[in-house]
Amino acid sequence: MSLKSGAEQVVAFEASAAHAAAARRRLERLFGDTTGRRVQVLTGKSTDMEETALMPFGTKPDLLVAELLGYTASEEGAPAVFADLQRRLGPLPAVPSAAQSLAVPVAPLVLSRTDVWRNWWVHGGWLSRGQFPPGPALYDCRNFPRELELAEPQVWEEFNFSNLDQLEAQLQQDRELVFNLPAGTEVGGLLLWMRAELADGIYIDTRKECTSWNQYYLHLGPQVIGPDGRLGVSAKVDARTEDVSYEFQVGQKSYRSHP
Ligand SMILES: C[S@@+](CC[C@H](N)C(=O)[O-])C[C@H]1O[C@@H](n2cnc3c(N)ncnc32)[C@H](O)[C@@H]1O
């Protein structure tokens, strides 16, 4: 894509040897003898490579491009990888330039018999009211019914991949969100998803657009909003390394992504 979009030279890093070999075969088919002069595919994690290995053509890059986004903005390690490259090669513009994760409280999910049967058929057993485990748990999902959303979504983590000072400060985040809901509202969990800004004003929102990314449903178990009409959600993010961890606290219930 970068070559087709006008890059003179491209250096690609791929941690998986099989994926790197597949990329090299494809590039050789496309560019034949000129491949080596135009593109280098290096096997290994960029974060493990010496600075000289990051620049096999001997020059600093003009642009960083990485698809390291997951169902959340940070779960595949994009903040740590971009921060490492910005420290050693930057400052550089990045694609995506920024990404956020959002959350919205949702009403308890009650699946139809057809959905329960289909989930069992495709995934080997899921879920209806009563079949959820008692504690909080995180599920992949898509097409979560919009009518179950109870409030406006709020951002629980955000990263600016093009600005190292901002990114350094964002590697650990701790937010206290408050959703205002009518007293007596029954809440079943939180829906979590990702929105990325690829370049100025060009966004992908994985809740709004149909993409290959799923969303996460953080099941909390039904709870009822008290007379103050507030649902407090605390979200702690540690994205200093590629092994990102999250901790959500909602009322008395807490969920850690890496216990
Ligand atoms: C979401 S996939 C993207 C695959 C493909 N590049 C694309 O855009 O469709 C992320 C890929 O990045 C690789 N990866 C993750 N961290 C990396 C790092 N620090 N250096 C190099 N590759 C990495 C993974 O092995 C995985 O193949």
Side-chain angles (χ1 to χ4, degrees):
M1 272 170 63
S2 299
L3 289 169
K4 278 187 181 164
S5 305
E8 284 171 23
Q9 292 180 312
V10 173
V11 181
F13 310 104
E14 174 47 61
S16 149
H19 294 182
R24 281 190 208 101
R25 283 197 298 277
R26 182 150 193 267
L27 287 161
E28 271 155 31
R29 273 202 306 278
L30 288 172
F31 299 108
D33 288 347
T34 65
T35 306
R37 270 176 279 137
R38 305 182 70 183
V39 54
Q40 293 280 319
V41 179
L42 307 177
T43 304
K45 287 194 157 199
S46 60
T47 37
D48 293 338
M49 291 185 188
E50 298 290 333
E51 206 167 305
T52 47
L54 293 174
M55 295 182 287
F57 293 118
T59 49
K60 288 207 173 197
D62 300 315
L63 180 68
L64 300 173
V65 182
E67 200 291 80
L68 290 170
L69 300 168
Y71 300 170
T72 66
S74 63
E75 71 171 351
E76 290 195 15
V81 173
F82 274 118
D84 171 67
L85 291 171
Q86 291 284 9
R87 284 179 204 125
R88 296 194 287 157
L89 303 176
L92 289 166
V95 176
S97 58
Q100 303 175 322
S101 300
L102 298 104
V104 71
V106 287
L109 180 64
V110 182
L111 294 170
S112 67
R113 276 176 190 276
T114 313
D115 286 336
V116 171
W117 183 85
R118 196 171 48 200
N119 282 323
W120 172 80
W121 182 254
V122 177
H123 302 291
W126 208 46
L127 292 177
S128 67
R129 195 198 284 249
Q131 289 182 337
F132 287 99
L138 199 58
Y139 295 95
D140 276 25
C141 66
R142 56 172 54 222
N143 304 323
F144 200 96
R146 288 190 185 280
E147 60 273 19
L148 297 185
E149 290 187 17
L150 295 169
E152 283 298 310
Q154 295 186 29
V155 171
W156 57 270
E157 62 167 7
E158 64 184 328
F159 303 94
N160 185 343
F161 302 126
S162 290
N163 181 313
L164 182 59
D165 288 341
Q166 286 180 19
L167 186 55
E168 295 281 18
Q170 292 166 331
L171 293 176
Q172 285 181 288
Q173 304 190 26
D174 191 350
R175 279 190 170 70
E176 300 290 335
L177 311 180
V178 176
F179 295 94
N180 294 309
L181 302 173
T185 304
E186 208 183 347
V187 177
L190 295 175
L191 192 67
L192 312 172
W193 71 96
M194 181 272 290
R195 179 169 67 187
E197 185 168 14
L198 302 185
D200 275 353
I202 302 174
Y203 292 91
I204 296 177
D205 183 315
T206 60
R207 176 72 170 142
K208 290 187 182 149
E209 276 97 39
C210 181
T211 73
S212 60
W213 285 287
N214 286 348
Q215 294 105 48
Y216 281 132
Y217 170 54
L218 176 58
H219 174 70
L220 299 165
Q223 46 193 291
V224 176
I225 299 298
D228 64 353
R230 290 161 60 92
L231 178 73
V233 175
S234 115
K236 287 190 173 59
V237 177
D238 187 344
R240 288 174 295 173
T241 69
E242 289 163 83
D243 292 323
V244 177
S245 66
Y246 305 132
E247 184 178 350
F248 293 96
Q249 179 84 36
V250 186
Q252 297 305 309
K253 309 225 175 182
S254 68
Y255 173 83
R256 280 170 183 263
S257 61
H258 295 83

